[in-house]
Amino acid sequence: MTARVLSGLEFGRNPLRVLALGGALVSLAFFLLPIAYLLSVSFKRKDDVLAGNFLPVDPTLDNWPGAFAATSLTTFIANSVIVSVLAGILTIAITLPAAYAMIRMGVFRRFLPQATLASYIAPPVVGLIPFFFLLKTIGLLNTHAGLILVYGLLNIPVAFWLIGPFLRRVPVEIEEAAALDGAGRFRTLVSVVAPIIAPGIAATTIIVVILSFNEFLLASGLTLTDGMRTLTVGISLFQGDRLVNFGQMAAASLAGIVPIYLIAFLMQKHLVEGLAKGGVK
């Protein structure tokens, strides 16, 4: 007990620790305040929303069942989860061998990193029309497969730059030992290198899945029916011609972020571990 009191006094006397604690609390409030406000709006009536109060004056639960009844919200959420997860797997399946070939075998080493980065700098709207007609030509417009293909290819630059540092940190001697045992390049990558950099692969997969889950512009142009629309597009449907139903929109937004928050929560150990190891030289 005495030690705790002394520790608390020492903490209170250290201005740097007090400043760090204050900064942490401000950061926490900054990230939680939008979620808290969204939760508050989901229980407000229309007049209450327009009044601008932070807390609902006359709370109601009608917005929650109303959000599911007004649109195909469950289908939108399922579409987002299916498309983002499969697109993340596709991205890793393409990026991992490509990055390994460049780093270990020198394939296109001079221009491939700059080329991937340059392609990602362009705004997504630039690719909307070409992707639309490309998917229409091959019969994948307004399908899960088409959106998975687009997201899986678009996120390759991000995955490439995230996985690269992990591959460079794998000792070459380990791969040479695998080669002496008769393992080829592909087997070495799958059986030896991939398990070593598993935290980095997991962290990269989570990041690209979140990027795909939150994308709106391409999803709005490449999906045409409610059965194929993703969550971000579905939420925009709550905006009518003259009136925006903010209460139902808030309820739909909170219900929609549950799956991606759940994935991030369950995988946060791998995400933090992977990002930490990727930053260590």
Side-chain angles (χ1 to χ4, degrees), residues 90-130:
L90 177 62
T91 299
I92 298 302
I94 296 174
T95 305
L96 183 59
Y100 181 78
M102 189 207 70
I103 293 173
R104 285 294 192 250
M105 302 166 65
V107 178
F108 302 129
R109 179 180 296 177
R110 289 188 177 182
F111 69 91
L112 187 58
Q114 291 76 13
T116 58
L117 188 61
S119 64
Y120 196 73
I121 291 176
V125 68
V126 173
L128 179 57
I129 295 178

Side-chain angles (χ1 to χ4, degrees), residues 2-67:
T2 304
R4 291 183 179 179
V5 173
L6 290 176
S7 178
L9 292 174
E10 183 181 355
F11 183 83
R13 290 172 182 172
N14 191 328
L16 290 178
R17 291 186 178 182
V18 173
L19 187 62
L21 178 61
L25 292 176
V26 171
S27 300
L28 186 63
F30 177 80
F31 288 109
L32 291 181
L33 187 59
I35 302 298
Y37 187 74
L38 204 60
L39 182 63
S40 174
V41 172
S42 70
F43 293 108
K44 289 182 178 181
R45 301 180 189 276
K46 293 179 181 178
D47 296 339
D48 206 1
V49 173
L50 297 177
N53 300 320
F54 183 82
L55 296 176
V57 176
D58 185 18
T60 178
L61 294 174
D62 293 343
N63 291 324
W64 285 85

Side-chain angles (χ1 to χ4, degrees), residues 164-235:
F166 292 97
L167 288 172
R168 291 187 178 91
R169 293 182 60 233
V170 177
V172 179
E173 291 77 9
I174 295 178
E175 299 176 43
E176 292 176 346
L180 290 176
D181 290 337
R185 285 289 187 180
F186 182 76
R187 185 178 174 186
T188 300
L189 173 62
V190 174
S191 304
V192 178
V193 176
I196 295 175
I197 64 170
I201 295 175
T204 304
T205 305
I206 295 171
I207 291 174
V208 296
V209 166
I210 292 174
L211 289 175
S212 298
F213 193 90
N214 294 332
E215 202 282 331
F216 169 76
L217 180 62
L218 294 175
S220 65
L222 302 179
T223 56
L224 308 176
T225 61
D226 284 352
M228 290 297 156
R229 289 193 172 101
T230 59
L231 176 67
T232 52
V233 181
I235 290 177

Side-chain angles (χ1 to χ4, degrees), residues 79-96:
N79 288 340
S80 287
V81 173
I82 292 171
V83 169
S84 59
V85 171
L86 294 181
I89 294 173
L90 177 62
T91 299
I92 298 302
I94 296 174
T95 305
L96 183 59

